[in-house]
């Protein structure tokens, strides 16, 4: 079997705006990242996924690109980007960039030209449609950030489609010239020597339903765009062509943000013969969200639902080899708040969560701050929020009759800004992130939760993550952790997350107690040794084990 360079890798995601500010303008930047590379090297990571740093008006913090060939001034220059790639190389850290090609910014030259007139050669680079007879939007699709997915343009009396924000017009992938221009740009970056791409929102590039109205659900006039733009028939031809013209020619890592891919199709999307190497799936992180995507109407879920989501994808990864393992990213709230009751968030429960996902089959992704246990922020006012999705949800909630308090509570739980507060480096003002005024308020808990404190404490979460990484990469368990098969265990248990990994006769068992109660378990196995745990003493007596509150333990079986 052909081994890939990334098989034993650990990926660390950086949200540049919030990582480290080197010039004290309150915004993180590329030089700031370079200055923290040694910290990341010491943590043990191999790959950095950099959220977008291309030129952008920052309506969606860089996910609205106005020039793919330039770097956003707030973040630095192309020289800084080249330096980051080089400095990374010196430390054996590859940089993978975010590839945002479902849409551009409305300030991209292509869109400006497209909008200029109906006859513009670039008109068909985007998706324009006539109004309905009464002048209203071409159809009832609702954008992901709220409101109609169509924006009216007075000059041409047409509407353009935006699956995300108004300032993110969707590219017209049906136009071969668009695809060719995108491939050229992708290869430009790959030729520079980056390690690959995280591919943004890629399952939206094909639009379907013949641009007709979606069936209304309930009394709402608009219907979530997913029904017409997510994973539509015909998308696979685009993805195959994309790979052939770009990724396939390089020895890189590609990981696609791919909500909505049916499980039976996953092997077509990822793995050796897939369109990408890895996929980000969403079921396990979006258990608390309904199909209409409204955060203020939370969905109830249990640990059994979480287990079942993980199991389904692990079984696919058994077939295709690898998947992307993650609990957090820049679009999700902090995992501690999502998976642990607020009153039980602690060093022990944070370590338990880390163990739970770190031994699964796949490549672990760590989101900045996760390694020190950063948590959600509770801003008192909507004024403190920046995230375009949060502001949309807040407005929606109010218009649906929710109170301000209820709308804010939904943001405390779900806002993407929870993950975007500045990285907490130390206990000095602004958490050591900047000497200026941070673009987003720091989480006041930085005095206790910060990198410096974690580095000093041998027992800290950060040091625990280092141990997990070492076990995965450089131990006698490396092969079983990286290549082992996932085997379900205690599938029906409502409180304990368990699974086995097996490789060449070696078996390890992972057990995590998701409650604050002691739980007795009888194992059908003999234990050879305890590989790691978040408690000092393990209560193991023959085949009986007692898991203490939020205990996680990894055992080698005989
Ligand atoms: C992806 C990104 C998210 C962004 C959206 C539109 O979901 O992760 O941050 O807002 O795409 O580009």
């Amino acid at each position: 079997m052909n081994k890939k360079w990334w098989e034993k890798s650990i990926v660390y995601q950086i949200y540049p705006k919030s990582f480290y500010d080197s010039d004290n303008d309150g915004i993180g930047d590329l030089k700031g990242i370079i200055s923290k590379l040694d910290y990341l090297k010491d943590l043990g990571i191999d790959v950095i996924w950099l959220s977008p740093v291309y030129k952008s008006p920052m309506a969606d913090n860089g996910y609205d690109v106005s020039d793919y060939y330039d770097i956003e001034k707030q973040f630095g220059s192309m020289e800084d980007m080249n330096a980051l790639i080089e400095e990374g190389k010196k430390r054996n850290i590859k940089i993978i960039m975010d590839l945002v090609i479902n849409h551009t910014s409305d300030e991209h030259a292509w869109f400006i030209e497209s909008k200029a007139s109906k006859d513009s050669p670039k008109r068909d680079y985007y998706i324009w449609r006539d109004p309905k007879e009464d002048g209203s939007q071409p159809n009832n699709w609702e954008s992901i950030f709220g409101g109609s997915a169509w924006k009216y343009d007075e000059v041409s009396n047409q509407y353009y489609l935006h699956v995300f924000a108004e300032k993110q017009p969707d590219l017209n992938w049906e136009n071969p010239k668009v695809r060719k221009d995108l491939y050229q740009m992708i290869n430009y970056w790959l030729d520079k020597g980056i390690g690959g791409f995280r591919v943004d929102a890629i399952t939206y590039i094909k639009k379907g339903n013949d641009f007709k109205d979606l069936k209304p659900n309930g009394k709402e006039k608009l219907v979530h765009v997913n029904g017409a733009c997510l994973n539509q028939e015909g998308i696979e031809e685009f993805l195959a062509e994309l790979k052939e013209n770009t990724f396939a020619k390089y020895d890189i890592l590609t990981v696609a943000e791919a909500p909505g891919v049916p499980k039976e199709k996953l092997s077509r999307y990822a793995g050796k013969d897939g369109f990408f190497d890895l996929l980000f799936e969403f079921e396990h992180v979006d258990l608390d969200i309904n199909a209409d995507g409204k955060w203020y109407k939370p969905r109830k879920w249990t640990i059994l639902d979480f287990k079942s989501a993980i199991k389904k994808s692990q079984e696919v990864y058994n077939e295709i080899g690898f998947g992307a393992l993650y609990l957090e990213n820049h679009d999700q709230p902090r995992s501690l708040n999502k998976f642990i009751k607020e009153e039980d968030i602690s060093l022990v429960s944070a370590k338990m969560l880390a163990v739970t996902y770190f031994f699964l089959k796949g490549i672990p992704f760590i989101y900045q701050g996760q390694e020190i246990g950063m948590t959600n922020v509770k801003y008192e006012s909507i004024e403190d929020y920046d995230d375009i999705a949060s502001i949309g949800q807040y407005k929606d909630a109010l218009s649906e009759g929710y109170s301000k308090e209820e709308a804010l509570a939904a943001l405390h739980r779900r806002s993407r800004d929870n993950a975007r507060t500045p990285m907490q480096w130390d206990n000095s003002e602004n958490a050591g992130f900047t000497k200026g005024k941070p673009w987003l308020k720091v989480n006041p808990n930085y005095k206790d939760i910060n990198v410096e404190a974690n580095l000093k404490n041998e027992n800290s979460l950060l040091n625990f993550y280092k141990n997990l990484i070492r076990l995965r990469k450089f131990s006698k368990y490396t092969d079983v952790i990286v290549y082992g098969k996932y085997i379900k265990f205690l599938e029906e248990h409502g409180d304990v997350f368990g699974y086995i990994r097996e490789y060449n006769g070696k078996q390890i068992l992972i057990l995590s107690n998701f409650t604050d109660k002691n739980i007795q378990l009888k194992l059908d196995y003999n234990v050879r040794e305890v590989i790691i745990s978040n408690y000092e003493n393990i209560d193991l007596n023959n085949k009986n084990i007692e898991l203490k509150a939020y205990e996680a333990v990894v055992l080698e079986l005989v």
Side-chain angles (χ1 to χ4, degrees):
M1 209 175 74
N2 260 349
K3 295 234 160 84
K4 299 277 194 182
W5 61 261
W6 45 260
E7 291 180 355
K8 293 180 185 161
S9 292
I10 314 290
V11 185
Y12 186 91
Q13 183 190 352
I14 291 185
Y15 196 68
K17 206 169 173 184
S18 303
F19 193 60
Y20 186 63
D21 176 17
S22 73
D23 58 1
N24 297 321
D25 63 353
I27 296 172
D29 45 49
L30 291 169
K31 285 205 173 86
I33 298 173
I34 294 173
S35 73
K36 296 293 182 187
L37 282 175
D38 288 331
Y39 164 73
L40 297 174
K41 181 76 204 161
D42 183 50
L43 174 58
I45 61 112
D46 310 275
V47 177
I48 291 172
W49 152 23
L50 199 61
S51 276
V53 291
Y54 312 96
K55 188 161 185 235
S56 163
M58 304 295 274
D60 189 17
N61 286 333
Y63 286 92
D64 47 324
V65 179
S66 56
D67 187 350
Y68 292 107
Y69 292 92
D70 202 357
I71 298 293
E72 170 51 33
K73 271 208 297 296
Q74 298 182 352
F75 295 138
S77 62
M78 193 58 93
E79 267 169 32
D80 296 335
M81 186 63 212
N82 294 338
L84 175 61
I85 298 171
E86 279 317 304
E87 288 300 316
K89 270 192 193 142
K90 285 186 198 157
R91 296 166 177 83
N92 279 325
I93 295 178
K94 299 205 194 227
I95 310 292
I96 69 174
M97 292 186 77
D98 219 303
L99 185 60
V100 190
I101 49 176
N102 172 67
H103 45 267
T104 66
S105 159
D106 64 343
E107 296 182 32
H108 192 290
W110 295 340
F111 188 75
I112 294 172
E113 218 184 310
S114 175
K115 196 178 166 186
S117 102
K118 271 187 172 173
D119 312 318
S120 152
K122 291 274 189 298
R123 186 67 172 180
D124 281 342
Y125 266 52
Y126 296 84
I127 301 170
W128 294 93
R129 289 290 181 277
D130 288 331
K132 280 188 177 161
E133 264 171 25
D134 64 358
S136 65
Q137 287 85 357
N139 61 39
N140 65 355
W141 301 354
E142 180 180 31
S143 81
I144 290 178
F145 294 152
S148 168
W150 295 94
K151 168 83 177 163
Y152 184 63
D153 167 46
E154 276 174 14
V155 181
S156 60
N157 185 33
Q158 282 195 319
Y159 285 84
Y160 69 83
L161 178 71
H162 60 90
V163 163
F164 293 89
E166 257 173 51
K167 282 186 71 63
Q168 294 168 302
D170 280 55
L171 284 162
N172 177 15
W173 272 72
E174 303 295 337
N175 181 348
K177 288 193 197 136
V178 169
R179 306 203 299 272
K180 197 165 152 252
D181 280 351
L182 290 175
Y183 303 156
Q184 197 176 18
M185 175 275 290
I186 293 170
N187 293 333
Y188 161 83
W189 281 103
L190 291 173
D191 288 337
K192 249 185 195 295
I194 60 167
F197 286 109
R198 176 267 187 180
V199 190
D200 184 69
I202 197 67
T203 42
Y204 286 97
I205 58 176
K206 180 86 184 180
K207 321 302 179 203
N209 211 39
D210 279 337
F211 285 86
K212 296 206 183 89
D213 279 344
L214 282 163
K215 210 164 122 244
N217 42 8
K219 55 182 169 33
E220 283 120 56
K221 287 197 294 286
L222 296 176
V223 184
H224 198 291
V225 77
N226 275 4
C229 297
L230 184 60
N231 265 304
Q232 297 297 300
E233 197 157 334
I235 192 174
E236 296 187 11
E237 281 152 47
F238 287 159
L239 297 177
E241 189 192 90
L242 165 65
K243 178 179 176 188
E244 189 188 320
N245 284 279
T246 58
F247 311 147
K249 302 189 211 170
Y250 299 83
D251 184 16
I252 54 166
L253 170 65
T254 56
V255 47
E257 186 191 31
V261 179
K263 291 278 179 288
E264 62 282 4
K265 283 207 170 167
L266 286 178
S267 60
R268 182 100 184 84
Y269 277 68
K272 196 162 59 61
D273 304 315
F275 305 127
F276 307 98
D277 295 309
L278 309 174
L279 289 188
F280 287 121
E281 293 190 85
F282 283 77
E283 191 179 332
H284 72 291
V285 288
D286 282 350
L287 289 165
D288 58 333
I289 298 192
N290 289 296
D292 64 7
K294 310 284 185 208
W295 300 342
Y296 43 90
K297 294 187 246 165
R299 188 173 165 263
K300 287 228 168 336
W301 61 278
T302 65
I303 291 301
L304 278 173
D305 300 321
F306 178 58
K307 288 170 63 169
S308 136
I310 299 278
K311 188 193 110 189
K312 277 189 262 168
S313 50
Q314 286 288 299
E315 287 178 348
V316 175
Y317 304 160
N318 273 344
E319 281 158 44
I320 64 177
F322 295 93
L325 307 174
Y326 77 103
L327 297 176
E328 291 184 18
N329 63 35
H330 65 293
D331 294 329
Q332 294 288 334
R334 291 291 181 176
S335 56
L336 287 174
N337 297 81
K338 190 184 297 171
F339 297 107
I340 311 286
K341 280 188 275 164
E342 189 160 342
E343 61 275 22
D344 288 349
I345 294 177
S346 68
L347 182 57
V348 169
S349 54
K351 289 180 178 174
M352 182 281 288
L353 260 190
V355 167
T356 306
Y357 94 108
F358 231 80
F359 289 86
L360 287 167
K361 186 174 183 68
I363 308 294
F365 283 66
I366 300 173
Y367 178 69
Q368 67 183 41
Q370 178 185 337
E371 76 278 22
I372 54 167
M374 282 178 65
T375 59
N376 284 356
V377 71
K378 273 194 182 159
Y379 295 135
E380 295 299 326
S381 147
I382 186 66
E383 305 300 316
D384 288 333
Y385 284 89
D386 166 86
D387 165 33
I388 194 165
S390 303
I391 293 163
Q393 293 266 350
Y394 182 81
K395 284 191 192 147
D396 254 24
L398 296 190
S399 74
E400 285 208 20
Y402 288 79
S403 68
K404 282 189 178 170
E405 291 68 36
E406 286 166 328
L408 274 180
L411 300 194
H412 292 160
R413 197 169 36 74
R414 250 292 159 184
S415 170
R416 305 194 299 176
D417 284 337
N418 284 312
R420 299 175 182 186
T421 60
M423 178 74 178
Q424 295 167 197
W425 292 105
D426 57 39
N427 65 7
S428 69
E429 205 181 346
N430 297 323
F433 160 73
T434 181
K435 295 208 165 57
K437 182 171 183 288
W439 70 278
L440 187 66
K441 284 189 180 165
V442 294
N443 191 321
N445 66 15
Y446 73 86
K447 299 243 179 223
D448 301 318
I449 301 175
N450 62 62
V451 169
E452 199 181 35
N454 267 262
L455 284 170
K456 276 191 201 142
N457 176 357
E458 209 190 315
N459 188 33
S460 67
L461 187 61
L462 178 67
N463 283 317
F464 193 75
Y465 265 99
K466 284 190 201 171
N467 287 338
L468 294 178
I469 292 173
R470 237 175 275 137
L471 274 172
R472 202 171 232 277
K473 287 169 54 176
F474 309 113
S475 77
K476 58 180 174 173
Y477 300 106
T478 295
D479 280 349
V480 66
I481 299 172
V482 175
Y483 301 110
K485 184 175 167 205
Y486 164 92
I487 302 172
K488 65 183 183 194
F489 185 74
L490 289 184
E491 198 185 357
E492 312 286 326
H493 203 296
D495 297 323
V496 176
F497 196 129
Y499 56 94
I500 292 174
R501 303 287 311 283
E502 180 186 59
Y503 186 76
N504 277 348
K506 208 183 191 79
Q507 283 194 326
I508 62 172
L509 170 66
I510 295 85
L511 293 170
S512 298
N513 178 358
F514 270 76
T515 73
D516 59 358
K517 296 181 211 54
N518 288 9
I519 294 178
Q520 316 280 343
L521 292 176
K522 190 157 177 51
L523 306 178
D524 288 334
Y525 301 91
N526 285 312
V527 172
R528 175 164 295 135
E529 71 170 329
V530 176
I531 301 172
I532 192 166
S533 157
N534 58 349
Y535 273 82
E536 261 173 35
N537 299 308
I538 314 295
D539 204 341
L540 183 65
N541 178 7
N542 294 324
K543 293 181 175 177
N544 297 310
I545 184 165
E546 176 169 280
L547 293 177
K548 294 180 268 305
Y550 294 101
E551 177 163 356
V553 59
V554 182
L555 306 168
E556 182 180 355
L557 304 177
V558 178

